[in-house]
Amino acid sequence: MRSDSFLSSKFLSILLLLCCLLTAEEAIHLLRTHPNRLNYDQAATKNFGCVPRDAGKRLFLCPIPGYGTMVFLCSDKHCFPKEPTTGLTIGPAEEKLLRDL
């Protein structure tokens, strides 16, 4: 195969079309999932797919449309995303945050 065949207008047109299709697919995905509209305060209490992950019902595993699942740390009034580096244990900083809510 010659090196100038990669720079032909037909090949570049195909690449441009593929880029446009991928961009359109990502835009559709973003519009369907609305990741910025997630209300963390109501994530565990209003989301019917949430499953408690501890006996005290402070950790919830919630499905996030288009993104799999996310762990939330919840008090009686508020929820916030759990720090992923601490796993399913509640660290001292998170314990303080729960008390302050």
Side-chain angles (χ1 to χ4, degrees), residues 38 42-52 60-65:
L38 181 65
Q42 298 178 352
T45 57
K46 301 288 184 188
N47 190 340
F48 300 113
C50 289
V51 177
F60 289 88
L61 184 66
C62 300
I64 305 298

Side-chain angles (χ1 to χ4, degrees), residues 41-96:
D41 288 341
Q42 298 178 352
T45 57
K46 301 288 184 188
N47 190 340
F48 300 113
C50 289
V51 177
R53 299 300 291 175
D54 66 335
K57 292 191 177 182
R58 296 189 304 173
L59 292 174
F60 289 88
L61 184 66
C62 300
I64 305 298
Y67 292 93
T69 59
M70 189 172 179
V71 178
F72 289 92
L73 186 60
C74 298
S75 69
D76 293 336
K77 298 178 183 177
H78 300 285
C79 290
F80 58 92
K82 173 91 172 71
E83 176 62 41
T85 58
T86 59
L88 292 179
T89 59
I90 299 173
E94 293 170 332
E95 194 68 54
K96 182 182 182 311

Side-chain angles (χ1 to χ4, degrees), residues 1-19:
M1 191 175 222
R2 295 181 354 183
S3 63
D4 61 348
S5 65
F6 284 114
L7 299 176
S8 69
S9 61
K10 182 179 179 181
F11 182 76
L12 292 176
S13 298
I14 292 171
L15 282 180
L16 180 63
L17 177 65
L18 290 174
C19 288

Side-chain angles (χ1 to χ4, degrees), residues 6-41:
F6 284 114
L7 299 176
S8 69
S9 61
K10 182 179 179 181
F11 182 76
L12 292 176
S13 298
I14 292 171
L15 282 180
L16 180 63
L17 177 65
L18 290 174
C19 288
C20 291
L21 289 174
L22 182 60
T23 302
E25 188 272 332
E26 286 297 322
I28 291 169
H29 175 75
L30 182 67
L31 291 173
R32 285 186 178 169
T33 58
H34 303 290
N36 296 329
R37 293 185 186 176
L38 181 65
N39 184 352
Y40 292 136
D41 288 341

